[in-house]
Amino acid sequence: MLPREDAPMLFVNAQVFDGSGRPLFPGEVLVRGDRIAAVAKGSERLSRDDASIIDCAGATLMPGLVEAHAHLSWPSSVGRIFDSFTLPPEEHMLVTARNARVTLDAGFTSAYSAGAFGVRFEIALRDEIDGGWLPGPRLRASSLERLPEGALGLPADPNAAHPRGPQGMRDYVKAMARERIDSIKFLLSSDEAFKPGGSQELTYTEEEVAAIGEQARESGVWLACHAQAAQAVKLAAKHGFRILYHCSYADAEALDMLEARRDELFVAPAVGLLWSRIHEAEAFGITREVAEQMGALSGLDRMCTLYPEMKKRGIRILPGGDYGFPYNPIGRNARDLELFVNLFGFTSTEALVAATKTGGELMGRDRIGMVKSGSLADILVVNGDPTRDVRVLQDQARLTMIMKGGAFHKRTSIAREGTAP
Ligand SMILES: [Zn+2]
C-alpha cells in the first residue's frame, strides 16, 4: 500500500455507484483519513480546501468488492498454478500471503474466509494486513474446515482431531476463540466431490451442532458451514450459523427456515468452482464425466432453480466462488458476478449490490461496502460501467485505482491530477 496521505482527497468527475442499487450518478467523493467524509451528487461541489484532487475523468467510482467464500491458503492463483493443495508450511504461508495481494489486485478489498489450511495462517495474515505490513483485503480469518475426524484436506494429524459429543464441540469452539479466530468453519454435510452420495451424509449430530451454536455465541465467534443436504442447511439455520455455503439440496422447509432468519444469515453458492469444474478443468483431468461424478453438473442445475427462489424470498445471496483450485485460481474472483447474472437472474446492478453492500453486511463490525459518508474508504475506480456489464471488473487494466481504508493500493493515472474543474 502507498502511505495514506495526510491531506483529504477529493475524487471529482466520477460516476458514482454507491452500493445501494441506485443508478450511477455524477458526483464527488471526499476521503479523510480512512473514511469517506462526504459524497456530493450532480452539480453539488465539495470543499476544495487543502484537498488533493483526483480526477476520475468520467470513470465509475464504487465500493471495493467483498469475496464471501475466500480460501487464501488454497495455493493456485492466476498465472501460478500448483497441482497440490499442501505445501511445506513455510512455502504455504508465503504463498497464502501472496494470494492476499492477488485478491486485492483483483479489486476485492474484503474477504470473508471459508477455511484455511493452518489453524493460525489467517490469524497471522489478518494481523499483518491490519497492521499495514502486508498488502491484502480486510480479512475475516477462519479456522480449518472441520469434519469430525479431522480437518479437510490435511494429512491425518492426531492433534487436529477434536473429541466428539457436545462437550468436545464446546472445547473446540473455545480453543478457536482463544486463538482470536473470526469464523469457525464446519462441514455439516459431506459432498459428492468427496465421495458418491456424500452430499446427503450428515457429519455431526444435532446435539453437537446445538452445542457449537451455543458456545460460538458465548465466545463471540462466527460460524460458517459447508451444507449440501437439506437437513444440514436446517441445522445451520436453526443453530445460528452466519453463512451457509452451497445449500444445493435445500428443500422447501429449509428455504422457509432460511427466509425466517434472512436478517441474520447469508448464503453463498460458491458457483465459480462448479462452473470451472464443468467447463475449464479438462486440462486438469476433470472431464465432463468426472465433473458429473463430483456432482458438478447436477449441483449447478439445482442451484439455477434454487438461488432465483432464494432471491425471491429476500435471502441474502453473496458472490464468492471457492477460488484457489488449479482450475479456478485466485484472482478470477470477479467472474462470480458474471455467473450471478447469467445463471441466477441477477441484474448487473443486483450482482454489484450483493458484492458490495451485502458483502459489507457479512463482514460486519464496521461500515463496509458503500460509498457513503462515514463508511470505510474502500474504493475502486473502474474504467467502464459495471452496472451495464459486470464483466468489466474482470479486466484488471480497467481497475485504475484501488483504495483500502483511505490508502491507495493501486493508482494509475487515467486522468490528469491538479486543479479541480
Ligand atoms: Zn470452499
Side-chain angles (χ1 to χ4, degrees):
M1 306 288 281
L2 301 170
R4 189 182 297 137
E5 292 180 27
D6 290 334
M9 284 177 280
L10 182 63
F11 293 87
V12 300
N13 277 334
Q15 291 292 324
V16 178
F17 173 75
D18 67 2
S20 70
R22 64 187 287 179
L24 290 186
F25 58 85
E28 299 187 346
V29 176
L30 181 69
V31 171
R32 189 176 284 129
D34 66 348
R35 304 268 156 183
I36 293 170
V39 179
K41 299 176 186 77
S43 55
E44 239 179 283
R45 289 284 171 269
L46 294 171
S47 162
R48 266 83 178 131
D49 292 352
D50 305 326
S52 75
I53 307 290
I54 301 156
D55 189 346
C56 297
T60 303
L61 184 152
M62 60 175 283
L65 299 165
V66 181
E67 162 66 53
H69 188 128
H71 289 300
L72 299 179
S73 61
W74 279 208
S76 290
S77 61
V78 172
R80 192 181 188 197
I81 303 302
F82 291 84
D83 51 17
S84 167
F85 275 94
T86 46
L87 308 172
E90 298 82 357
E91 281 86 336
H92 208 148
M93 191 63 228
L94 291 168
V95 168
T96 301
R98 181 178 175 279
N99 286 344
R101 199 208 76 214
V102 172
T103 303
L104 185 56
D105 287 343
F108 286 78
T109 49
S110 290
Y112 198 94
S113 176
F117 265 129
V119 174
R120 298 198 67 262
F121 270 36
E122 293 189 342
I123 298 163
L125 180 59
R126 174 199 65 200
D127 291 352
E128 288 297 300
I129 293 171
D130 286 351
W133 309 114
L134 282 174
R138 300 180 192 284
L139 179 61
R140 297 294 177 248
S142 175
S143 60
L144 306 160
E145 293 200 47
R146 290 310 304 239
L147 281 166
E149 59 269 25
L152 177 68
L154 286 182
D157 171 2
N159 299 318
H162 59 69
R164 292 296 303 255
Q167 192 53 45
M169 305 318 300
R170 284 180 186 282
D171 292 346
Y172 176 65
V173 172
K174 276 193 226 168
M176 289 301 106
R178 271 197 302 274
E179 296 283 358
R180 296 183 304 112
I181 209 89
D182 297 304
S183 173
I184 307 180
K185 171 101 180 259
F186 290 94
L187 290 111
L188 294 185
S189 78
S190 185
D191 199 282
E192 306 301 313
F194 308 151
K195 57 173 138 171
S199 292
Q200 300 310 321
E201 210 170 274
L202 297 183
T203 45
Y204 292 96
T205 65
E206 171 143 21
E207 291 66 37
E208 287 171 325
V209 179
I212 290 168
E214 272 168 31
Q215 189 59 52
R217 277 189 296 283
E218 239 165 74
S219 298
V221 288
W222 288 328
L223 296 172
C225 67
H226 172 108
Q228 292 288 23
Q231 183 60 15
V233 175
K234 291 173 200 176
L235 286 178
K238 186 169 165 193
H239 294 291
F241 279 64
R242 183 175 181 82
I243 184 158
L244 289 70
Y245 295 119
H246 317 302
C247 306
S248 310
Y249 294 86
D251 59 14
E253 191 190 9
L255 288 173
D256 288 345
M257 292 174 73
L258 293 174
E259 186 179 348
R261 292 200 58 237
R262 68 185 181 186
D263 295 332
E264 294 137 64
L265 56 73
F266 302 83
V267 297
V271 67
L273 177 62
L274 285 189
W275 181 262
S276 53
R277 204 167 256 165
I278 296 165
H279 298 285
E280 293 164 9
E282 285 252 16
F284 301 89
I286 301 183
T287 60
R288 239 181 143 72
E289 206 182 0
V290 176
E292 183 42 27
Q293 276 162 21
M294 296 170 91
L297 275 84
S298 52
L300 188 61
D301 243 25
R302 305 186 74 89
M303 281 182 182
C304 290
T305 320
L306 194 60
Y307 279 87
E309 170 65 20
M310 288 193 198
K311 178 169 173 278
K312 226 182 284 166
R313 290 167 176 251
I315 298 163
R316 292 177 289 183
I317 307 168
L318 298 174
D322 236 325
Y323 292 89
F325 286 69
Y327 43 86
N328 192 44
I330 290 170
R332 297 200 68 192
N333 311 54
R335 186 184 57 167
D336 252 54
L337 279 75
E338 180 189 357
L339 295 174
F340 269 46
V341 171
N342 292 344
L343 302 174
F344 301 149
F346 280 61
T347 64
S348 294
T349 297
E350 286 170 342
L352 288 167
V353 171
T356 56
K357 173 176 170 281
T358 318
E361 291 163 9
L362 171 70
M363 291 294 286
R365 295 198 190 132
D366 208 335
R367 298 173 69 178
I368 294 173
M370 292 190 80
V371 175
K372 197 174 159 185
S373 168
S375 286
L376 284 166
D378 294 355
I379 289 172
L380 304 181
V381 176
V382 185
N383 189 4
D385 181 357
T387 66
R388 283 177 188 275
D389 185 351
V390 286
R391 288 177 302 179
V392 299
L393 295 171
Q394 295 175 46
D395 179 1
Q396 288 191 20
R398 286 175 174 273
L399 304 181
T400 52
M401 298 185 206
I402 302 173
M403 171 179 270
K404 197 188 96 190
F408 277 108
H409 170 64
K410 179 182 184 183
R411 183 178 182 178
T412 46
S413 54
I414 41 164
R416 52 199 192 276
E417 287 174 43
T419 46

